[in-house]
């Protein structure tokens, strides 16, 4: 192969599709040099992308709200066909169609042994944890591309058992790389169970995935809050209640109108650090959602926080926000004995079980998030429309596999 086309960040609001070298079975220079390990990766596989998605986390970079440099390759939601294997890969086979967790993990360190694959110690010299195509995450090439290299393939690849069935359900299965496990992790760590009442802040794809996951976990009522009418309508399309945060008024009062009481059993922050205050034209206020969910979650509740918070935000509203320091009412959470679950979702804890739900018609995640297919050359338009609040989850189809 002579090259590999991949989506590249070109500065705030701009992406392009560029041709780079075809992947090699080698670790990134940052990883090999920084950790003092061999660059050769006989444990790796190369995948031909079947589907790769635009994520809200990517959008933070493209908005210029991270320290991502121009030239950063993008994409960490990867589903593909194995086309090349290193000599040390024992169990994956060429032709397998697989989901790839967005967290890159070695399968050999203490964190991986404990199932905490989002904070693997051997894939990023800068900090615990790594991801494809993301700033400060180890220098791994992004997966919004034609081809991608996956290290530690026997550990990281989730093989779909039947190729034809996988292709038939690919719009659902492509969500296993990130947002379905991430949304499920948010709901699960919030303690959602049979009969729970649940509030999910944010009706973007992760919020919708969390809402669908809460339904699967047995919630009696799931209420989704957002400011965009189309996204609220999407939440209602699969049985959620909604509250419109573009209208003035206290969140507790809005919930009381739906539930008959001003609090919920479990709450999820699926918005993150670019949160805004309530009401028309509200300014950015990054602690809004964290404070909201503490205010409406009952005493003793758990709070799931899959929404992204960063340590470097050039566009932060003040000097504190620029380093990820936000005005959380921790005293309120302490007084109510809340517990908080944050950080990257450890995808491997959930993806196989969620795959089984999809394959056995128990989960309809593509419908919940309104999966919409676009070509690789349509990535710039997809990012632009997503940034404008489209109630869609954009699925890039680099090889025109999905339709045909």
């Amino acid at each position: 192969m002579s090259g590999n086309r991949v989506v590249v960040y070109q500065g705030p609001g701009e992406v392009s599709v560029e041709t780079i070298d075809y992947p090699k079975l080698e670790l990134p220079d940052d990883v090999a040099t920084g950790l003092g390990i061999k660059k050769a990766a006989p444990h790796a596989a190369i995948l031909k992308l079947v589907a790769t998605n635009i994520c809200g986390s990517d959008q933070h970079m493209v908005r210029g709200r991270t320290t991502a440099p121009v030239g950063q390759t993008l994409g960490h939601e990867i589903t593909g066909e194995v086309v090349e294997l290193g000599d040390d890969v024992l169990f994956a086979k060429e032709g397998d169609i697989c989901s790839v967790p967005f967290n890159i993990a070695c399968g050999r360190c203490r964190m991986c042994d404990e199932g905490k694959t989002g904070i693997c110690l051997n894939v990023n010299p800068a900090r615990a944890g790594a991801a494809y195509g993301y700033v400060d995450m180890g220098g791994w090439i992004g997966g919004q591309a034609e081809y991608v290299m996956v290290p530690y393939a026997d550990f990281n690849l989730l093989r779909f058992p039947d190729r034809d069935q996988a292709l038939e359900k690919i719009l659902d299965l492509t969500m296993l790389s990130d947002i379905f496990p991430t949304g499920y992790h948010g709901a699960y760590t919030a303690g959602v169970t049979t009969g729970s009442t649940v509030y999910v802040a944010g009706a973007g794809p992760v919020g919708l995935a969390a809402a669908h996951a809460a339904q699967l976990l047995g919630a009696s009522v799931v209420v989704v809050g957002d400011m965009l009418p189309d996204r609220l309508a999407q939440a209602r399309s699969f049985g959620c209640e909604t509250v419109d945060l573009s209208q003035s008024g206290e969140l507790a009062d809005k919930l009381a109108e739906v539930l008959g009481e001003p609090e919920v059993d479990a709450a999820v922050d699926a918005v993150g650090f670019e949160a805004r205050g309530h009401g028309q034209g509200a300014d950015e206020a990054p602690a809004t959602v964290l404070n909201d969910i503490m205010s409406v979650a009952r005493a003793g509740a758990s709070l799931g926080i899959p929404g992204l918070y960063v340590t470097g935000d050039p566009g932060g509203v003040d000097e504190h926000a620029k380093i990820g320091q936000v005005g959380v009412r921790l005293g309120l959470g302490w007084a109510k004995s809340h517990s908080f679950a944050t950080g990257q979702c450890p995808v491997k804890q959930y993806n196989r079980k969620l795959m089984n739900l999809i394959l056995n018609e128990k989960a309809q995640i593509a419908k919940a998030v309104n999966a919409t297919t676009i070509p690789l050359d349509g990535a710039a338009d997809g990012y632009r429309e997503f940034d404008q609040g489209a109630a869609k989850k954009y699925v890039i189809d680099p090889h025109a596999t999905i339709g045909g």
Side-chain angles (χ1 to χ4, degrees):
M1 290 288 182
S2 59
N4 178 31
R5 300 176 71 234
V6 60
V7 180
V8 178
Y9 172 61
Q10 299 292 359
E14 299 293 332
V15 302
S16 62
V17 179
E18 306 291 334
T19 298
I20 63 173
D21 291 340
Y22 184 79
K24 297 179 181 179
L25 298 174
E26 295 180 346
L27 301 180
D29 290 337
D30 291 0
V31 174
T33 301
L35 294 173
I37 58 179
K38 295 177 181 178
K39 186 176 175 68
H43 48 74
I46 294 173
L47 270 61
K48 177 181 178 180
L49 272 292
V50 174
T52 175
N53 316 323
I54 296 175
C55 180
S57 298
D58 300 319
Q59 194 72 64
H60 292 305
M61 282 192 291
V62 173
R63 289 191 188 116
R65 295 300 298 270
T66 73
T67 55
V70 170
Q72 170 75 57
T73 60
L74 300 174
H76 56 267
E77 300 192 10
I78 296 166
T79 306
E81 177 183 357
V82 176
V83 293
E84 186 176 344
L85 293 164
D87 290 341
D88 288 351
V89 180
L90 300 179
F91 304 111
K93 300 291 186 292
E94 289 187 16
D96 286 348
I97 296 181
C98 304
S99 179
V100 182
F102 78 91
N103 356 77
I104 300 169
C106 72
R108 309 175 186 192
C109 70
R110 175 180 175 177
M111 292 298 101
C112 288
D113 282 345
E114 295 177 3
K116 300 173 183 176
T117 52
I119 45 175
C120 175
L121 302 176
N122 290 331
V123 287
N124 183 0
R127 64 179 71 174
Y132 303 88
Y134 211 86
V135 59
D136 296 332
M137 284 294 191
W140 301 86
I141 298 297
Q144 287 170 11
E146 294 176 321
Y147 299 89
V148 70
M149 188 274 286
V150 176
Y152 309 106
D154 280 329
F155 184 70
N156 285 307
L157 295 179
L158 174 66
R159 186 183 70 85
F160 301 138
D162 182 272
R163 180 186 178 89
D164 291 340
Q165 185 186 33
L167 291 173
E168 180 183 343
K169 295 182 177 296
I170 198 67
L171 287 179
D172 290 290
L173 293 171
T174 189
M175 305 306 165
L176 292 172
S177 58
D178 183 353
I179 69 162
F180 196 11
T182 293
Y184 191 94
H185 181 64
Y188 181 80
T189 56
V192 177
T193 187
T194 306
S196 297
T197 58
V198 184
Y199 174 65
V200 177
V206 169
L208 296 172
H212 185 43
Q215 293 173 331
L216 294 171
L217 286 164
S220 59
V221 185
V222 180
V223 184
V224 178
D226 204 285
M227 297 184 176
L228 299 177
D230 288 349
R231 289 187 168 184
L232 292 172
Q234 181 61 29
R236 290 192 294 272
S237 74
F238 61 96
C240 298
E241 301 289 340
T242 59
V243 292
D244 184 353
L245 301 177
S246 71
Q247 303 301 312
S248 60
E250 295 295 323
L251 176 59
D253 295 335
K254 295 176 186 291
L255 290 176
E257 292 178 9
V258 176
L259 301 171
E261 58 181 354
E263 64 181 13
V264 291
D265 298 319
V268 178
D269 171 5
V271 177
F273 73 104
E274 288 193 62
R276 294 185 174 275
H278 300 177
Q280 289 284 353
D283 292 330
E284 189 170 306
T288 296
V289 174
L290 292 171
N291 291 327
D292 275 352
I293 62 175
M294 283 190 287
S295 72
V296 300
R298 62 170 174 77
S302 298
L303 309 178
I305 309 173
L308 177 66
Y309 289 85
V310 295
T311 56
D313 174 12
V317 295
D318 55 37
E319 294 306 309
H320 296 296
K322 289 178 180 179
I323 60 170
Q325 183 175 325
V326 299
V328 177
R329 295 181 61 197
L330 188 58
L332 174 61
W334 190 94
K336 297 177 78 172
S337 292
H338 286 161
S339 60
F340 300 74
T342 66
Q344 289 186 36
C345 165
V347 170
K348 281 178 62 66
Q349 287 191 22
Y350 307 105
N351 62 351
R352 186 176 301 276
K353 294 175 182 178
L354 296 177
M355 175 189 74
N356 290 337
L357 287 177
I358 290 170
L359 295 179
N360 289 285
E361 308 285 351
K362 304 298 183 185
Q364 290 79 41
I365 185 64
K367 177 183 176 182
V369 301
N370 195 17
T372 302
T373 306
I374 59 174
L376 185 62
D377 286 324
D381 290 337
Y383 271 100
R384 191 174 304 112
E385 292 170 15
F386 188 32
D387 192 46
Q388 293 169 353
K392 298 177 181 180
K393 175 67 173 179
Y394 288 101
V395 177
I396 296 173
D397 181 8
H399 295 280
T401 304
I402 297 173

